[in-house]
Amino acid sequence: MKNVMITLIILLILLPKSLPAQVQMVTRPDSEGVELTIYNSRDLTLVKEQRNITLKSGLNLLQFSWVDTLIDPTSIHLDVADTDIGVEVQSAIYPPKLSNTIQWYVKSENAGEKKLEVSYFTSGLTWSANYIAIMDKSEEKMSLEALVNISNNSGEDYENAHTRLIVGEIQLVEEVRTLAAGRAVEKSAKKAEDRETELRRRARGAAVATTDTAFDLYAAKAPAVAETQTLSEYYMYVLEGRDTIKHEWQKRKLSFVIEDIPVKTVHRFGEHGQRVARFYQFKNDEEHNLGTEPMPEGNVVVFIKDENNTISSYVGQTWIEFTPTGKEVKLYLGPDPEVKVEKKQMSNRRVNLLFDEKNRSLVKFDTEREFTFEIENFKTESVNLEIKENLGRDWQILSSTHDYEKKDANSIEFKLELDADSKETLKYQVRFMGR
Amino acid sequence: MKPTQKAKTRNFLGIAIILILLTTATINARIELVTVPERESISISIDRNNSALVQELRTVTVKEGENVAQFDWSNIDIDMNTVQLQVLEGEDSVTFGSMSIPPGSKNALMWDIQSQKSMELPVRVSYKVNGIYWNCNYTALVNDDETSLSLQADVTVSNQTQDQYENANINLEVGETFQQSLESNESKKITLFNMPQIPVQKTYTSDPDKFGKNVAIHYKFKNTRKEMLLAGKIRIYKKDKSGSRAFLGEDRIEFIPAGGEVDLYTGSARDVEVERAVIEQRQVNIRRDVRGNISVYDTDESYKATIKNHKNDSAKVIVRIHLNDFWENPESKHEYKKENVNILEFNVQVEPGEEEVINLDISGKNLTQGFIF
């Protein structure tokens, strides 16, 4: 904590309202422990430091100052541990001639060592998730490694910090980085304080609401995430042990490794031009050895193993969105030239022509069209093929050779299982109303 | 003075891929280099999209307690997200902690390794690298009467990285593996296969939308191999009367799966002509509004395509006729295939010196503008 300095100045009260005669000074107290709560949706980190500080009986003046960091000055808050009865933070001031400084008057009924907690928001600390998926040769099972990557560009070294990571979108009215630059301090002070109070309330709530998670699942590979919790609308990862994250360093820690996740290979046509796209599909649920926590959005690197169980090739890199428990994950693997779908429109007819009774002009008509899909699977294994059709508004399917599911007002989806080395033709007829 | 001995140095060309082991205590101060293990073996897998995965085996010496393994590189384009360190033996005695990326670095990774004892630790480092490519070229030689061809596939593997790979096992996704050394900026060509006597069909295609007034020559054949054909350029030759090879043309193919069809376009024919003409176009069943303007009508239309074969061989000619929307009752003495709602395709065998005329009658239905042809 080289850039943040907390100095304790003991103030002797000689006369009421007299200027303080300042008697220097007690040493820079050691940080008893830093706790970082890093939000991944915004550039926001809540830093909490506990300090044991020896207070005199009466009024004490505490000073907190910082240089070259991205601290939001409106968010700095001093708290007294609940066990320290008789200690009260009376007021906070930003002295006019000292920049990047806040002072608190703390009244203590008795002298002695007190536990104080300073908290503030900073920007520049971020985290993101990364995944490494390794497929078996059979492409039926995979292992999934989830990593968390923490970057520190805050200007501050954090040593031996307890780290907690928050997943979820958070609303901020102003960026912490802006506030750290000293602009808009006053007008946003109130809002920032409200926000801080709210976050603090939530953070406290979470400590109580700790849930037992399936930590045992991960124990074998010694993951770095010790605990996961739900926290109001957010989800929190608590990293095991303490971490030192210096300014400009990045740290990657293993969040979980799950083996033997059953994976289905799915081919889709209709969203990637004329090509058939290939996906690995699984669900973030118990059936897939997952489902204990949401998966934060992140980059996924996919490898495949050979018969010797060693990684034999790189399949690709893809991005997954935030995936709550129970939701499906699709890893896009690019086009597959071994499955071909050729879509053709085979007919187009105008029907139900409607004429204006008065002036005999054509007012409206429907059209009936037939589409065929010539499908060929060149693979030596069967293929699950999904065909998505966007139809626009107001349509009616007149006939279809295959079952389909109506996905929404504008689209239908066919699901086919293609045998190895096979050809198939899908046809449907549709009437478009008034167009 | 002795003549200077020719220095036997390895030219690293400024590239460095280094795996070193550091003691934790020294990281923040000066970096003490404990071991720089050499690469023991290397394999490169290149998939069909030209992504190259390099895997190296190295042995690092760890001490009892905390160790840091640092993997860094320069002058080579390694994808950091793909770097993996895997312990091959003795994994029970070591625990991997967190991984760090030093300040400003896009090319270094550090792993914390806790070891129960001092030992040699064989590891596999794998990463994706940009700059190693394959390129496939085909040579097709058609026989005299153009009914079959032989096909040779050559793959060139190029190393455009600054790294050099000695005795690397190179795996191509199409199932080929070979051992080669690849210097920086070196390419090596390997023949993948040579298949004789593949039946081929030569066609002449008239399609105004694709080829204008020209008649296009195509050679079609099936991929009868068990593996897919890699994408690449294919050159087609034929032996002339003196027995030397004459170049007929070239095309580019995409990936052709096993059992898939290759369709090569090699240029335009001079000796096969197709003349097209709209013979008749009439509006019928016209419905008008009260002001006399046409609101909707049908049409009666006729089209003629005349094929002339000036060659000494019989020609398989494909004539595609394009249609606008809303037609019905097409009629022709020739058989045709509906390619889609806008294309009818006629396949006609035209004997040498002969002429063949295709007539097509069609009705437009409920048109509000234009005609079918």
Side-chain angles (χ1 to χ4, degrees):
Chain A
M1 305 295 286
K2 66 170 188 271
N3 294 331
V4 173
M5 219 179 289
I6 299 184
T7 26
L8 177 67
I9 299 161
I10 299 171
L11 186 74
L12 299 174
I13 312 248
L14 299 172
L15 287 165
K17 288 182 185 173
S18 71
L19 280 172
Q22 293 182 353
V23 179
Q24 291 285 40
M25 127 161 200
V26 184
T27 54
R28 192 177 136 187
D30 276 338
S31 175
E32 299 301 311
V34 187
E35 185 187 87
L36 303 173
T37 307
I38 310 173
Y39 291 73
N40 75 336
S41 62
R42 302 297 288 264
D43 187 0
L44 175 74
T45 298
L46 176 65
V47 183
K48 285 196 230 168
E49 293 178 47
Q50 292 206 340
R51 311 262 176 150
N52 289 332
I53 291 173
T54 309
L55 294 182
K56 286 256 171 195
S57 168
L59 213 50
N60 297 264
L61 183 61
L62 284 177
Q63 180 169 303
F64 181 85
S65 59
W66 60 98
V67 285
D68 295 333
T69 67
L70 296 170
I71 290 174
D72 169 6
T74 65
S75 71
I76 303 164
H77 191 91
L78 183 71
D79 245 347
V80 182
D82 297 340
T83 47
D84 280 325
I85 303 155
V87 182
E88 195 187 333
V89 181
Q90 290 205 319
S91 59
I93 46 172
Y94 298 89
K97 283 174 190 162
L98 300 168
S99 63
N100 292 340
T101 298
I102 182 170
Q103 293 177 341
W104 291 283
Y105 285 99
V106 180
K107 191 180 170 189
S108 182
E109 283 177 6
N110 47 44
E113 192 173 79
K114 308 291 177 192
K115 193 164 274 179
L116 297 176
E117 186 184 83
V118 183
S119 65
Y120 51 87
F121 286 119
T122 183
S123 66
L125 274 163
T126 52
W127 78 273
S128 59
N130 290 48
Y131 301 89
I132 292 171
I134 302 173
M135 288 300 301
D136 282 356
K137 188 179 164 46
S138 67
E139 295 187 78
E140 283 168 0
K141 280 183 174 173
M142 73 169 188
S143 72
L144 186 68
E145 253 177 50
L147 299 150
V148 289
N149 191 63
I150 303 163
S151 296
N152 180 3
N153 291 298
S154 68
E156 182 67 37
D157 293 340
Y158 290 97
E159 286 180 38
N160 297 320
H162 282 295
T163 309
R164 313 186 314 163
L165 309 172
I166 304 288
V167 187
E169 283 289 321
I170 192 158
Q171 155 75 2
L172 292 183
V173 290
E174 271 173 294
E175 296 293 333
V176 172
R177 197 171 282 275
T178 315
L179 297 168
R183 271 171 277 148
V185 171
E186 274 171 28
K187 74 171 179 200
S188 64
K190 178 72 175 75
K191 280 181 181 170
E193 203 158 298
D194 290 349
R195 187 175 76 227
E196 176 202 6
T197 314
E198 174 61 12
L199 281 173
R200 198 181 307 280
R201 192 183 59 73
R202 288 179 186 172
R204 274 199 187 132
V208 182
T210 304
T211 49
D212 268 343
T213 57
F215 174 54
D216 286 350
L217 261 179
Y218 322 141
K221 280 257 177 167
V225 173
E227 190 187 348
T228 52
Q229 302 174 4
T230 45
L231 163 63
S232 182
E233 297 307 308
Y234 308 107
Y235 204 83
M236 184 164 76
Y237 292 96
V238 180
L239 298 191
E240 193 185 59
R242 287 164 179 258
D243 280 290
T244 293
I245 311 160
K246 299 201 170 224
H247 176 52
E248 294 189 312
W249 280 70
Q250 282 182 55
K251 201 136 214 186
R252 267 181 208 188
K253 305 197 84 172
L254 189 61
S255 168
F256 62 75
V257 185
I258 309 283
E259 305 283 347
D260 294 334
I261 299 172
V263 174
K264 196 174 157 189
T265 302
V266 170
H267 286 76
R268 282 179 73 78
F269 178 82
E271 291 157 335
H272 295 82
Q274 294 307 303
R275 291 171 172 224
V276 176
R278 194 165 70 104
F279 296 86
Y280 290 143
Q281 186 176 297
F282 59 92
K283 265 188 182 169
N284 184 12
D285 65 10
E286 228 174 285
E287 202 185 316
H288 294 81
N289 298 340
L290 295 161
T292 52
E293 59 194 87
M295 294 167 63
E297 64 271 28
N299 185 58
V300 188
V301 182
V302 185
F303 296 101
I304 194 159
K305 286 183 190 169
D306 60 14
E307 55 278 357
N308 304 322
N309 222 20
T310 56
I311 289 173
S312 65
S313 67
Y314 166 84
V315 180
Q317 270 182 73
T318 184
W319 179 264
I320 58 164
E321 295 301 327
F322 174 81
T323 309
T325 53
K327 207 183 166 192
E328 199 163 64
V329 183
K330 281 195 177 101
L331 302 178
Y332 174 56
L333 306 167
D336 188 340
E338 290 186 304
V339 181
K340 289 212 159 95
V341 175
E342 196 181 349
K343 179 185 171 181
K344 294 175 172 180
Q345 186 188 333
M346 296 307 283
S347 74
N348 199 3
R349 295 198 308 134
R350 276 184 182 154
V351 294
N352 303 334
L353 275 66
L354 188 73
F355 292 88
D356 186 299
E357 274 177 33
K358 266 189 188 157
N359 62 16
R360 302 203 303 263
S361 62
L362 180 61
V363 189
K364 98 181 234 216
F365 54 83
D366 299 338
T367 55
E368 287 179 2
R369 298 175 193 177
E370 183 185 296
F371 293 92
T372 66
F373 295 77
E374 285 167 14
I375 302 160
E376 196 161 3
N377 177 20
F378 291 96
K379 285 179 180 289
T380 49
E381 67 246 36
S382 66
V383 159
N384 297 301
L385 177 69
E386 297 172 359
I387 296 177
K388 191 172 180 203
E389 278 287 275
N390 288 312
L391 300 170
R393 59 172 174 82
D394 216 352
W395 47 268
Q396 185 190 346
I397 300 289
L398 303 173
S399 72
S400 174
T401 55
H402 291 68
D403 289 340
Y404 61 90
E405 188 192 336
K406 187 173 169 179
K407 297 298 274 187
D408 55 39
N410 299 325
S411 64
I412 56 171
E413 193 171 277
F414 297 92
K415 286 189 177 173
L416 288 80
E417 194 173 322
L418 309 175
D419 290 338
D421 240 327
S422 68
K423 281 188 189 181
E424 194 160 339
T425 304
L426 181 154
K427 274 187 201 186
Y428 76 89
Q429 287 179 304
V430 61
R431 181 185 294 146
F432 295 108
M433 313 304 180
R435 59 192 164 111
Chain B
M1 214 171 89
K2 280 185 186 172
T4 32
Q5 198 186 349
K6 196 178 173 186
K8 196 183 169 190
T9 55
R10 275 179 60 170
N11 182 6
F12 277 100
L13 299 157
I15 188 186
I17 298 180
I18 298 169
L19 181 65
I20 55 174
L21 226 78
L22 315 159
T23 52
T24 5
T26 57
I27 289 169
N28 298 329
R30 92 206 129 78
I31 289 178
E32 184 195 344
L33 188 143
V34 178
T35 47
V36 183
E38 282 286 308
R39 248 177 209 165
E40 286 151 24
S41 78
I42 191 153
S43 72
I44 304 168
S45 303
I46 318 172
D47 74 2
R48 58 177 175 236
N49 300 316
N50 258 327
S51 294
L53 181 74
V54 175
Q55 306 204 57
E56 314 176 347
L57 299 186
R58 298 184 187 226
T59 303
V60 294
T61 312
V62 290
K63 289 177 178 168
E64 188 187 333
E66 292 284 339
N67 298 268
V68 174
Q70 178 171 325
F71 182 72
D72 59 22
W73 59 96
S74 55
N75 295 320
I76 185 162
D77 188 5
I78 288 175
D79 181 345
M80 186 185 256
N81 284 333
T82 64
V83 179
Q84 301 239 76
L85 184 72
Q86 197 187 345
V87 176
L88 300 178
E89 269 172 51
E91 59 263 53
D92 296 343
S93 310
V94 290
T95 315
F96 276 67
S98 57
M99 187 166 80
S100 303
I101 301 165
S105 176
K106 287 202 168 68
N107 47 19
L109 292 167
M110 296 163 97
W111 288 271
D112 294 336
I113 303 171
Q114 175 88 33
S115 181
Q116 289 166 15
K117 55 185 181 194
S118 297
M119 61 175 176
E120 303 262 287
L121 199 62
V123 294
R124 179 191 288 116
V125 186
S126 54
Y127 50 86
K128 178 183 168 256
V129 66
N130 287 323
I132 305 175
Y133 306 105
W134 60 257
N135 191 0
C136 194
N137 281 291
Y138 297 91
T139 309
L141 184 63
V142 294
N143 66 351
D144 246 11
D145 56 1
E146 301 188 53
T147 53
S148 79
L149 56 75
S150 67
L151 186 69
Q152 179 174 321
D154 296 299
V155 168
T156 307
V157 178
S158 305
N159 173 19
Q160 285 163 31
T161 73
Q162 300 286 295
D163 204 355
Q164 56 185 17
Y165 302 101
E166 276 176 40
N167 294 321
N169 283 308
I170 300 171
N171 311 301
L172 292 182
E173 199 198 335
V174 284
E176 295 296 322
T177 301
F178 38 91
Q179 199 173 49
Q180 286 283 332
S181 289
L182 273 175
E183 298 282 316
S184 177
N185 291 316
E186 189 183 30
S187 296
K188 290 238 162 111
K189 189 161 132 177
I190 299 115
T191 297
L192 272 184
F193 64 83
N194 196 334
M195 286 188 72
Q197 295 206 308
I198 302 169
V200 68
Q201 193 177 54
K202 187 180 184 182
T203 60
Y204 296 86
T205 305
S206 166
D207 183 336
D209 277 24
K210 274 190 178 166
F211 310 110
K213 288 195 165 169
N214 291 332
V215 173
I217 302 168
H218 286 88
Y219 292 89
K220 285 181 194 170
F221 61 91
K222 241 187 156 182
N223 175 17
T224 49
R225 298 186 82 238
K226 286 200 175 107
E227 272 92 35
M228 69 163 71
L229 298 179
L230 291 170
K233 191 199 263 187
I234 181 160
R235 291 193 180 92
I236 300 135
Y237 297 89
K238 187 180 177 177
K239 279 185 181 149
D240 63 16
K241 277 168 193 154
S242 68
S244 71
R245 292 205 308 191
F247 180 54
L248 299 185
E250 65 180 27
D251 198 6
R252 195 166 277 285
I253 60 167
E254 295 300 313
F255 294 100
I256 308 290
E261 196 176 51
V262 183
D263 192 358
L264 303 175
Y265 165 63
T266 61
S268 302
R270 298 257 174 263
D271 296 339
V272 177
E273 284 181 297
V274 177
E275 283 168 11
R276 294 161 177 267
V278 177
I279 302 301
E280 191 177 324
Q281 253 172 353
R282 283 191 299 125
Q283 289 183 340
V284 294
N285 303 333
I286 298 167
R287 299 177 72 163
R288 293 176 189 270
D289 64 19
V290 282
R291 277 171 295 175
N293 295 324
I294 295 175
S295 50
V296 67
Y297 59 92
D298 299 338
T299 62
D300 284 340
E301 305 184 39
S302 300
Y303 192 89
K304 186 168 93 170
T306 309
I307 309 163
K308 292 175 186 165
N309 180 8
H310 305 295
K311 282 159 54 76
N312 296 325
D313 307 307
S314 154
K316 186 178 158 49
V317 183
I318 298 165
V319 175
R320 289 202 191 106
I321 299 176
H322 289 257
L323 311 171
N324 295 321
D325 271 338
F326 310 118
W327 50 264
E328 58 182 29
N329 305 328
E331 271 179 42
S332 177
K333 281 178 189 146
H334 287 85
E335 273 187 26
Y336 62 86
K337 188 180 100 184
K338 184 162 71 168
E339 179 62 22
N340 62 42
V341 70
N342 299 118
I343 299 173
L344 297 187
E345 187 176 289
F346 294 79
N347 270 276
V348 184
Q349 193 77 32
V350 187
E351 295 312 314
E354 294 288 309
E355 203 177 277
E356 192 80 34
V357 178
I358 297 168
N359 282 299
L360 174 66
D361 295 331
I362 206 161
S363 302
K365 185 75 185 166
N366 294 331
L367 304 188
T368 49
Q369 55 170 19
F371 288 93
I372 300 306
F373 295 120

